[in-house]
């Protein structure tokens, strides 16, 4: 009996030691605590000099981690383990996270710089009164094309992608909503369509695009287009801005049939350990000078009206990234279609990718 008692005592001490070690390492890595702030964002989506500036101004150490999809981000936050103080999901993910009670309400009284945000980007359907999210960047999905490689052929819309002259010349971003969305738009359907016959029609049309597709890729799409490995690519507007700066033969167009208007907003996950620090960080990013610097680095469109005034006219007057009203009225925000329908979109997208093989 004494041996058994000693054995249990040893096991208890080891377990307690491991728990303490885990707690210590989490603190050391910034996974909680008032003197650290863990930010979860898309890759290459912030000017890291701003992180250093925030640390200098507040004394709060920033632990910066990245994700490559809204789904991956939501899964990690749902699972717990690592606690994030600030995350930057897209609008449909925010709607879903609200439904699943994964977000904390934001105290607007702690965000004096919120006044700089253009009212057009506030109080949108996915988050009325911005109770849970604050605008970070916005943009579109469109087509980048190489004028030299296409011998000055003009690209105006999604349907141009099916031109047989573009065999093995198109790169697609690896996203179900984006790819199914542009096929639906090419048929003049909503990119939030849930009509099964429309979805099957869109998938069948994608299958016909297969000969023109060189690859379906992730972040490497930027490098491939800059290096002229393909003549066309379906990309997000910020990526387009970045790569156009590296290759003067590249052009970007928001398709005439319509496209996606997306928003990435800052949120505070429910498991946040430094809520006060999270508010300080969000307010810091809303400062016009910081927002302008971030916009120049990232290349996406800023919702910050005062920051926009600080940018060069070359940026602020560029209709490709700040499109006129007659085009923006054709753009749609992704809706949260629910788990079942989103799974169906993913299934159709996977079938399309398998069809290519």
């Amino acid at each position: 009996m004494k041996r058994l008692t000693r054995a249990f005592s040893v096991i208890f001490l080891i377990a307690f030691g491991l728990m303490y070690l885990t707690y210590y390492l989490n603190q050391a890595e910034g996974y909680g605590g008032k003197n650290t702030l863990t930010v979860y964002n898309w890759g290459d989506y912030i000017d890291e000099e701003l992180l250093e500036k925030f640390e200098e101004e507040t004394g709060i150490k920033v632990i910066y981690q990245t994700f490559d999809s809204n789904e991956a981000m939501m899964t990690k936050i749902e699972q717990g383990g690592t606690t994030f103080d600030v995350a930057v999901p897209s609008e449909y993910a925010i709607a879903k996270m609200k439904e699943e009670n994964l977000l904390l309400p934001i105290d607007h009284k702690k965000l004096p710089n919120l006044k700089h945000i253009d009212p057009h980007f506030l109080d949108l359907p996915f988050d009325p009164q911005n109770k849970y999210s604050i605008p970070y960047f916005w943009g579109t999905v469109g087509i980048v094309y190489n004028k030299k490689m296409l011998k000055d052929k003009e690209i105006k819309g999604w349907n141009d992608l099916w031109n047989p002259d573009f065999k093995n010349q198109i790169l697609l971003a690896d996203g179900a909503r984006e790819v199914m969305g542009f096929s639906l738009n090419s048929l003049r359907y909503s990119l939030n369509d849930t009509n099964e016959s429309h979805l099957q029609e869109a998938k069948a049309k994608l299958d016909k695009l297969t000969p023109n597709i060189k690859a379906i890729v992730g972040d490497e799409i930027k490098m491939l287009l800059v290096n002229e490995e393909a003549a066309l690519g379906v990309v997000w507007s910020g990526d387009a801005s970045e790569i156009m700066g590296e290759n003067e033969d590249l052009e970007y167009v928001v398709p005439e049939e319509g496209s996606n208007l997306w928003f990435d907003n800052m949120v505070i996950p429910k498991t946040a350990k430094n809520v006060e620090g999270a508010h300080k960080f969000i307010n810091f990013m809303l400062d016009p000078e910081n927002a302008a610097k971030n916009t120049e680095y990232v290349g996406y469109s800023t919702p910050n009206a005062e920051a926009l005034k600080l940018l060069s006219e070359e940026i602020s007057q560029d209709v490709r990234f700040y499109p006129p009203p007659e085009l923006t009225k054709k753009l749609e925000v992704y809706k949260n279609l629910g788990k079942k329908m989103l799974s169906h979109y993913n299934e159709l997208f996977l079938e399309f990718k398998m069809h290519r093989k």
Side-chain angles (χ1 to χ4, degrees):
M1 189 66 182
K2 289 181 179 178
R3 288 180 182 175
L4 189 61
T5 301
R6 279 198 293 268
F8 275 121
S9 297
V10 171
I11 292 171
F12 174 79
L13 288 171
I14 292 172
F16 180 81
L18 288 172
M19 287 174 62
Y20 178 79
L21 180 61
T22 300
Y23 172 80
Y24 176 81
L25 289 174
N26 282 344
Q27 294 298 311
E29 290 296 321
Y31 299 157
K34 292 183 179 179
N35 64 334
T36 61
L37 188 81
T38 307
V39 177
Y40 201 27
N41 199 357
W42 299 84
D44 200 25
Y45 206 34
I46 196 169
D47 185 335
E48 294 193 6
E49 289 184 2
L50 289 172
L51 299 180
E52 296 173 5
K53 182 180 178 183
F54 176 77
E55 290 179 335
E56 290 172 2
E57 289 185 5
T58 64
I60 298 173
K61 178 175 173 57
V62 176
I63 307 300
Y64 191 76
Q65 296 190 31
T66 63
F67 56 85
D68 58 10
S69 75
N70 281 294
E71 289 68 30
M73 176 271 304
M74 286 189 287
T75 297
K76 196 160 185 179
I77 288 177
E78 283 174 335
Q79 289 174 344
T82 303
T83 58
F84 299 104
D85 299 303
V86 177
V88 189
S90 301
E91 70 293 318
Y92 74 93
I94 292 168
K96 186 176 180 183
M97 293 172 82
K98 282 168 53 185
E99 285 180 6
E100 298 182 6
N101 198 30
L102 295 175
L103 301 176
L104 290 177
I106 293 175
D107 187 351
H108 289 193
K109 293 177 183 177
K110 295 180 179 180
L111 304 177
N113 287 328
L114 184 58
K115 65 185 177 184
H116 301 306
I117 296 294
D118 187 326
H120 288 98
F121 300 106
L122 297 172
D123 197 27
L124 295 173
F126 64 88
D127 186 20
Q129 300 179 340
N130 292 90
K131 185 176 180 180
Y132 295 97
S133 71
I134 301 297
Y136 183 66
F137 279 122
W138 67 277
T140 56
V141 173
I143 303 168
V144 162
Y145 63 97
N146 190 304
K147 294 174 289 185
K148 180 182 69 177
M149 293 177 72
L150 296 185
K151 298 179 180 178
D152 291 324
K153 287 181 183 176
E154 189 176 6
I155 302 296
K156 294 183 177 181
W158 294 121
N159 280 294
D160 291 328
L161 297 179
W162 277 264
N163 186 330
D165 291 341
F166 300 156
K167 185 176 181 180
N168 201 38
Q169 283 298 314
I170 299 173
L171 298 173
L172 300 184
D174 191 6
R177 292 299 297 268
E178 287 73 26
V179 175
M180 284 295 296
F182 82 68
S183 187
L184 286 163
N185 278 160
S186 76
L187 294 163
R188 305 290 177 172
Y189 297 142
S190 167
L191 47 69
N192 294 304
D193 207 322
T194 58
N195 181 298
E196 183 60 23
S197 64
H198 293 173
L199 294 176
Q200 292 297 335
E201 187 179 355
K203 192 268 178 183
K205 188 170 182 179
L206 283 175
D207 289 344
K208 293 178 181 177
L209 185 62
T210 296
N212 288 5
I213 298 172
K214 186 180 185 73
I216 300 174
V217 293
D219 284 343
E220 62 269 32
I221 194 170
K222 293 184 286 186
M223 178 190 66
L224 292 171
L225 288 167
V226 168
N227 293 338
E228 301 187 345
E229 298 291 333
L232 305 101
V234 174
V235 300
W236 291 276
S237 54
D239 289 346
S241 175
E242 180 181 340
I243 62 179
M244 286 165 58
E246 298 184 37
N247 187 326
E248 62 182 14
D249 291 317
L250 294 173
E251 183 59 88
Y252 177 72
V253 62
V254 180
E256 60 188 4
E257 301 96 333
S259 187
N260 170 230
L261 174 65
W262 55 261
F263 301 92
D264 286 341
N265 283 17
M266 295 176 281
V267 302
I268 303 177
K270 193 172 184 180
T271 55
K273 298 295 184 184
N274 191 352
V275 176
E276 188 68 26
H279 281 89
K280 288 180 180 179
F281 182 80
I282 293 171
N283 191 59
F284 173 85
M285 296 306 297
L286 294 176
D287 177 85
E289 287 190 11
N290 295 336
K293 180 175 173 58
N294 205 30
T295 301
E296 289 174 339
Y297 175 83
V298 175
Y300 283 91
S301 304
T302 179
N304 193 309
E306 293 303 312
L308 193 61
K309 295 176 184 178
L310 300 177
L311 298 172
S312 67
E313 286 191 3
E314 184 181 359
I315 296 174
S316 63
Q317 301 299 317
D318 193 333
V319 296
R320 295 168 299 183
F321 304 106
Y322 295 91
E326 57 266 28
L327 180 54
T328 55
K329 68 183 181 182
K330 294 182 181 180
L331 305 177
E332 295 179 88
V333 174
Y334 288 135
K335 293 179 181 178
N336 176 18
L337 302 179
K339 284 186 178 180
K340 187 174 181 181
M341 184 53 64
L342 287 175
S343 293
H344 188 40
Y345 265 68
N346 288 330
E347 288 167 3
L348 291 171
F349 181 51
L350 181 60
E351 288 176 16
F352 160 61
K353 291 201 286 187
M354 295 301 291
H355 176 81
R356 292 183 60 243
K357 298 178 181 180

